[in-house]
Amino acid sequence: MKLIAYNVRDDEIPFIKQWGAENEIEVGYNTQILDSKTIEKAKGFDGISCLQTIPYSAELFNKFSKLDIKSLSLRNVGIDNIDLEAAKQNGIEITNVPAYSPESIAEFAVFMAMFLLRKAGYMYQQLHVDHQFHFSSDFMGRLIEDQTVGVIGTGRIGRHVIQLFQGLGAKVIAFDKFPMKNPFFEYVDNEEDIFERADIVTLHMPATADNDHLVNKEIFKMMKDDALLINTARGSIVDTADLIWALENKEIAGAGIDTIENESADLQDSRSTKLVTDKNVLKLANMPNVIVTPHSAFHTATAVKNMVDISLNNLKNMVDGGTPDDLVD
Ligand code: COI
């Protein structure tokens, strides 16, 4: 068996090599996004592992069949960027890694909230942009224990976020279309309750056709003027132009944005030296009440090892003719 991994960062390589040695399986790797052209590099391999948030298209899946490859194993959880119908038509099995480290993303969401509550962006701007270093009234923060945190999505990540915020003394309210039984927190009946009542709204649901631009002008108007929005879920859930409008018009007080609409191939290229040109990213980056990060909430050593190991185990299993638990429907 020969496997190949696409869009590999330097920090993944030791884990890939270790897995290959332990399993006595050749694992090739490259630094490219997987698309209908780069798939040619997989010629002679039996299965592909990949991590990207740009699309896996029908054109790509047609090429899988031509190379006689039937297995694609994601190293991440999100499947919103996959043409699942085209994959099915070409008889391609796909796995994801549903839980590589929910704690990594949850902790990042809490970090973003703390960064915003304690006005770290204002302190950073004063020193690093204005080259001054002194007290400022702009730096007065808010305690987490005085906040109501609204969590939308109570899967593994959302539940860990709830535990962390509860541990810090916040009041937590949550919404999920499929609420858990016996929750250790308070559910509200609809998303509007969260947007109206929460001081911090944090999103933890997958991207679906239903929640595209769920957070838009109307919702920002509904939110408290001093509310913070945290998005470590998917960019498509928040209308970025409306977010900028809301921040400029003080409809909300700040935002932590780890996922933004229309993520580019460049964002996912860990070796890129390109300067950022996305006007929305640049606008947000200049706001001291905003923190923007390049979809990096997942990125801890624990998560990376789990992503590589679980993805390659799934791929080996599929190529061997097995049925991994992580098969995507
Ligand atoms: C995911 O696991 O789906 C993420 O959002 C992480 C990212 C590396 C794609």
Side-chain angles (χ1 to χ4, degrees), residues 67-296:
L67 294 173
D68 205 22
I69 298 175
K70 295 275 171 239
S71 310
L72 170 64
S73 164
L74 310 183
R75 300 197 293 284
N76 63 304
V77 55
I79 53 169
D80 49 285
N81 54 334
I82 303 178
D83 189 331
L84 290 172
E85 195 47 49
K88 199 171 167 187
Q89 274 166 16
N90 284 282
I92 295 150
E93 286 191 323
I94 301 176
T95 53
N96 67 348
V97 185
Y100 46 79
S101 173
E103 298 81 7
S104 299
I105 297 142
E107 285 184 12
F108 203 82
V110 175
F111 147 72
M112 283 185 142
M114 289 175 126
F115 180 98
L116 296 169
L117 283 175
R118 297 309 301 265
K119 306 291 187 72
Y122 290 83
M123 297 176 194
Y124 187 92
Q125 198 174 67
Q126 188 204 63
L127 180 58
H128 295 268
V129 180
D130 303 336
H131 303 292
Q132 297 176 23
F133 192 53
H134 55 82
F135 278 10
S136 162
S137 291
D138 287 340
F139 300 166
M140 188 173 74
R142 290 190 267 162
L143 284 183
I144 293 193
E145 65 180 26
D146 293 335
Q147 312 304 307
T148 296
V149 179
V151 178
I152 305 186
T154 59
R156 293 181 186 88
I157 300 170
R159 291 200 299 274
H160 198 71
V161 166
I162 293 172
Q163 279 174 333
L164 293 177
F165 274 117
Q166 284 181 336
L168 291 165
K171 175 178 172 51
V172 176
I173 52 174
F175 174 79
D176 197 301
K177 282 193 176 143
F178 306 99
M180 68 182 288
K181 288 194 184 111
N182 307 318
F184 55 91
F185 50 86
E186 177 192 339
Y187 272 118
V188 294
D189 293 335
N190 51 56
E191 283 153 343
E192 282 72 30
D193 283 347
I194 299 276
F195 290 117
E196 276 171 6
R197 287 172 54 192
D199 303 302
I200 301 170
V201 175
T202 181
L203 307 174
H204 298 289
M205 65 284 226
T208 60
D210 287 352
N211 64 27
D212 193 63
H213 283 188
L214 168 81
V215 187
N216 54 31
K217 248 185 200 179
E218 209 177 307
I219 296 288
F220 287 122
K221 283 186 194 157
M222 196 182 285
M223 288 172 73
K224 294 182 175 181
D225 291 352
D226 60 0
L228 304 172
L229 175 74
I230 312 287
N231 187 5
T232 56
R234 277 294 180 269
S236 61
I237 302 170
V238 178
D239 183 319
T240 315
D242 288 3
L243 168 68
I244 292 169
W245 170 87
L247 289 161
E248 285 174 348
N249 290 283
K250 304 199 178 344
E251 292 288 340
I252 62 167
I257 299 297
D258 186 52
T259 53
I260 192 155
E261 286 183 278
N262 308 318
E263 287 180 2
S264 64
D266 185 53
L267 179 136
Q268 288 160 50
D269 178 356
S270 58
R271 292 164 185 84
S272 172
T273 54
K274 283 191 191 146
L275 295 181
V276 54
T277 54
D278 184 319
K279 290 200 175 61
N280 286 335
V281 172
L282 290 170
K283 265 191 192 163
L284 291 168
N286 280 327
M287 298 183 184
N289 53 340
V290 173
I291 172 167
V292 204
T293 49
H295 204 142
S296 296

